[in-house]
Amino acid sequence: MNQPVLGVDVGGTRAKFVVLDGEGQVIQTGEVASDPGSAARTLAAVAGALDPSLWPDREPDASSAAGLAGVGLACAGVVDPDRGWLGRSPNLPGWEDSDLFAAVGRVFGNVDRAVANDVNSALYGEARRGAGRGCRDLVMIALGTGVGGGVILNERLIIGAHCGAGEIGHMVLDPEGPVCTCGNPGCLESYAGSVGLLKAARKAARDGAAPGVRALAEEKGPDLTTRDLALLAEAGDQGAVALFAAAGQRLGQAVGNLVNILDPERVIIGGGVARAGDLILEPCRRTAKDIILAVEAKKTPIVPAELGTGAAALGAALLVASRENAP
Ligand SMILES: [Zn+2]
């Protein structure tokens, strides 16, 4: 039997991990606090949380991480998967411009290594075990605080010449639109990320256009979430429904353009905002259909992600396992 592999999704506050056995079955999942200042401390914390009794072939007195065949890491930011290099990273300032292959080696020894951008990793997980199973060509858009993206063509993640491919969240949809965190106006993120959506909700509340949203915003104050807005919309509040419809139309604009360029088999929408489901997906599908040129491609399925918040850790483990199994 092959040895187990570990996948770790390192966020700014938590590092989620999954261990797959040699058959690819999940044998442990967990999470530890991450240290945005130190890759070594974070990886050591993960190593300490592993349960090596789950894999029988280890040396009895070896360290807890002994016996792993490979370690895959998923991080937000610019990642060079060939060199194991992390460039700019918004959540992990102390990890920037560092050699993650070396960091993994210092904690886990001589194991196979893979490093990927977190959304690419989640997309790889979805492609292998989730909403993209069986597809060669996929696009994923992750609607979180910000908006991330990833593309798989011919079963390969597209990285780009400067490791910057897949920034779907920063596709400019309206040069007159609200200013995005990146400084450009009218990016998809400024409409369909949770920060953008909450901003739009507060604006609608102020303008008096959405009394239900206004009451909710006053009740929740700074704790208002897109989940709260989705519940209000599900209860039939038209102001809240309109907020998701507007975000969904912008998302559909991006999806329609991407389908025209890439012609994927499926488009996967993930992230916390996507938990609003058809509130955002139906307007997205309608808008995308209008934009998509090829008659056959108008039917491209636009589907919710299936793996939830564990997708990136699973994808990282599958990426390193695929490397291990390479000829
Ligand atoms: Zn932007």
Side-chain angles (χ1 to χ4, degrees):
M1 190 175 102
N2 294 329
Q3 291 167 295
V5 292
L6 167 69
V8 188
D9 172 20
V10 191
T13 55
R14 310 293 296 168
K16 292 191 177 66
F17 66 88
V18 60
V19 182
L20 305 182
D21 69 13
E23 312 296 320
Q25 298 300 313
V26 174
I27 53 175
Q28 189 189 359
T29 59
E31 61 176 66
V32 297
S34 67
D35 182 341
S38 167
R41 277 197 293 274
T42 303
L43 294 175
V46 173
L50 297 176
D51 181 358
S53 68
L54 295 169
W55 55 91
D57 298 340
R58 76 196 195 287
E59 300 292 323
D61 55 351
S63 77
S64 63
L68 286 175
V71 176
L73 290 188
C75 305
V78 177
V79 175
D80 181 339
D82 293 330
R83 292 193 301 143
W85 193 262
L86 178 66
R88 205 164 26 80
S89 182
N91 302 333
L92 302 168
W95 300 41
E96 284 187 351
D97 289 323
S98 71
D99 182 345
L100 297 183
F101 283 169
V104 168
R106 279 195 290 277
V107 175
F108 293 97
N110 186 24
V111 293
D112 286 328
R113 292 148 224 205
V115 177
N117 166 274
D118 58 348
V119 182
N120 277 344
S121 198
L123 169 56
Y124 192 77
E126 293 285 349
R128 293 279 305 278
R129 303 254 175 115
R133 272 188 307 272
C135 295
R136 295 178 70 83
D137 304 304
L138 286 166
V139 168
M140 178 158 169
I141 305 178
L143 309 175
T145 311
V147 174
V151 177
I152 284 179
L153 293 179
N154 208 10
E155 296 183 340
R156 289 180 67 88
L157 282 165
I158 301 305
I159 307 301
H162 310 93
C163 304
E167 287 288 4
I168 297 169
H170 299 287
M171 183 187 284
V172 175
L173 301 173
D174 180 359
E176 309 289 319
V179 176
C180 177
T181 51
C182 73
N184 282 334
C187 290
L188 173 61
E189 176 168 312
S190 65
Y191 298 104
S194 66
V195 171
L197 193 58
L198 289 170
K199 227 182 242 180
R202 292 206 164 87
K203 183 169 184 304
R206 272 198 313 276
D207 294 351
V213 173
R214 181 181 191 149
L216 183 70
E218 281 170 2
E219 181 200 332
K220 298 280 180 177
D223 298 329
L224 181 69
T225 65
T226 56
R227 186 76 203 130
D228 297 328
L229 288 170
L231 289 172
L232 184 65
E234 279 161 15
D237 182 272
Q238 287 310 301
V241 168
L243 285 170
F244 285 100
Q249 281 163 14
R250 291 299 185 179
L251 181 63
Q253 242 187 307
V255 169
N257 282 306
L258 288 163
V259 170
N260 284 339
I261 298 165
L262 300 169
D263 191 14
E265 287 170 80
R266 230 172 259 179
V267 177
I268 302 171
I269 310 294
V273 177
R275 283 174 33 207
D278 282 345
L279 284 169
I280 196 162
L281 291 182
E282 274 305 317
C284 165
R285 290 178 183 122
R286 281 196 297 276
T287 304
K289 198 173 166 192
D290 286 343
I291 292 173
I292 295 168
L293 297 174
V295 176
E296 301 80 359
K298 284 183 184 286
K299 294 190 209 120
T300 305
I302 300 167
V303 299
E306 289 179 6
L307 299 178
T309 56
L314 178 64
L318 292 168
L319 274 167
V320 77
S322 73
R323 181 165 296 210
E324 183 197 356
N325 294 330

